[in-house]
Amino acid sequence: MNIKGLLFALLGFALFSVHDVVVKYLGSSYTPVQIIFFAGLFSFPLLTFVLMSDPTRENLRPVHPWWVSVRVFGALFSGLMAFYAFSVLPLAQTYTLLFAAPMLITVLAIPMLGESVGPHRWAAVTVGLIGVIVVLRPGGQELTLGHAAALGSAFCNALSSVVVRKIGQEERTVVLLLYPLAGNFLLMGLALPFVYVPMPITDLGGLGVIALLGFLASMCVIAAYRYGEAAIVAPMQYSQILWATLFGFLLFGESLDDPTVYGAGLIILSGLYIVYRESRGGKSDNTPVLRNRSRGYSPGSIRTSAILRRWKSD
């Protein structure tokens, strides 16, 4: 059973990697605001089919409007900053910094979820922080807005994930899925007139490809968690660094430098150890990283945990 989950996970994260290649390509000509607005717009028909199957007959008012608002802004800014980082940084370096999310989730879960973090996970967070410093190597390279955006995206993704963990049992699936989509349409739509650049039909097609890949990748990840254990599926996200290295070299002439390789190794080890500690019974009350089953910075992606919870209740 875990083999099936493993294969779905690898396929899903491979599709996400192709998704990010298209984002990087279009990011050389258009702002993240324009890309996210149209990718989210094209995603809406696909997500509508998922939302239509929600059997609950209630209104769409959230139970926790404040926390839902925090989640919406976290999701929006996570996508905005991730798309900018992809457009200006090498793919592998962007992924490496985005992979800081598990250690940020671990830290944010303390005040927001009342999580108790022991010395083992604190050590893992410290190792991950060292990895980030190695990648950034202050003084060894010019730090840019792209680096800040990648780390900002990791933080916003972590914040959004912890919020979902906090309110997910009480909020309806349709609320958790629809509000970020509506927020994307409204806020990015307000900003769009200031940055809009006319797009040829091929680039509009690329935005449709982003939407489709985000949806298909999410469905694969959902299937992976249905058929495999979370402790097996979750680490498969790190396979994206391999795709980033390959695509970056073949399509953009990028190469990995030693600090990125060493830093990525430390950050990935940190994330893997946090997942391992949470997967051991009694080591974590909330398992916030293990339950972070979605990629929060793609407009067309689906909140995996919300869909899984609804399917279990059907």
Side-chain angles (χ1 to χ4, degrees):
M1 195 69 96
N2 274 330
I3 294 298
K4 196 171 183 180
L6 186 71
L7 292 176
F8 269 117
L10 289 173
L11 176 59
F13 289 118
L15 291 174
F16 270 132
S17 298
V18 179
H19 165 289
D20 295 333
V21 167
V22 183
V23 169
K24 184 173 182 65
Y25 169 75
L26 292 176
S28 63
S29 303
Y30 309 100
T31 66
V33 169
Q34 186 165 339
I35 297 173
I36 289 176
F37 175 82
F38 283 105
L41 186 64
F42 292 153
S43 298
F44 188 78
L46 299 171
L47 295 178
T48 298
F49 289 107
V50 177
L51 298 176
M52 286 172 60
S53 63
D54 192 314
T56 310
R57 296 182 179 179
E58 295 180 11
N59 59 57
L60 294 177
R61 290 195 298 270
V63 178
H64 302 281
W66 161 250
W67 286 116
V68 169
S69 298
V70 173
R71 160 159 162 69
V72 168
F73 280 96
L76 287 178
F77 282 100
S78 177
L80 193 65
M81 289 188 283
F83 278 32
Y84 175 74
F86 278 122
S87 69
V88 298
L89 295 179
L91 282 169
Q93 192 171 96
T94 303
Y95 275 122
T96 298
L97 295 175
L98 292 175
F99 286 157
M103 67 177 183
L104 295 173
I105 290 173
T106 301
V107 174
L108 288 174
I110 298 172
M112 294 177 64
L113 301 178
E115 176 79 352
S116 297
V117 176
H120 290 274
R121 279 188 290 161
W122 272 121
V125 169
T126 302
V127 169
L129 178 60
I130 294 172
V132 170
I133 295 173
V134 170
V135 173
L136 296 178
R137 51 193 184 280
Q141 69 168 352
E142 181 183 358
L143 299 181
T144 67
L145 284 176
H147 296 101
L151 288 175
S153 177
F155 175 81
C156 289
N157 185 27
L159 177 63
S160 180
S161 298
V162 175
V163 168
V164 170
R165 183 73 183 96
K166 184 178 182 68
I167 66 175
Q169 296 299 319
E170 300 176 52
E171 292 290 355
R172 293 177 59 197
T173 299
V174 66
V175 170
L176 293 174
L177 294 177
L178 184 59
Y179 272 68
L181 194 64
N184 168 78
F185 182 77
L186 291 174
L187 296 181
M188 295 299 106
L190 289 173
L192 184 63
F194 300 99
V195 299
Y196 179 74
V197 175
M199 307 182 78
I201 190 67
T202 53
D203 288 352
L204 280 172
L207 292 171
V209 169
I210 290 174
L212 180 61
L213 287 173
F215 178 80
L216 292 176
S218 294
M219 296 307 294
C220 287
V221 173
I222 289 170
Y225 279 105
R226 288 195 74 187
Y227 294 115
E229 297 176 13
I232 300 297
V233 174
M236 293 305 104
Q237 66 173 313
Y238 298 117
S239 64
Q240 292 173 107
I241 199 75
L242 301 177
W243 290 112
T245 303
L246 177 63
F247 290 143
F249 175 75
L250 293 178
L251 301 177
F252 304 105
E254 299 170 355
S255 59
L256 281 174
D257 55 18
D258 288 343
T260 299
V261 173
Y262 300 145
L266 291 173
I267 293 170
I268 291 172
L269 283 175
S270 168
L272 290 174
Y273 190 70
I274 289 172
V275 167
Y276 166 72
R277 293 295 296 182
E278 287 191 2
S279 66
R280 298 183 64 187
K283 300 298 181 182
S284 172
D285 295 330
N286 300 284
T287 58
V289 173
L290 202 59
R291 292 175 182 264
N292 177 37
R293 299 170 178 176
S294 305
R295 205 174 80 145
Y297 48 87
S298 299
S301 63
I302 303 171
R303 194 74 210 177
T304 306
S305 56
I307 297 298
L308 288 171
R309 190 178 70 250
R310 195 196 69 206
W311 283 351
K312 287 178 181 180
S313 63
D314 288 347

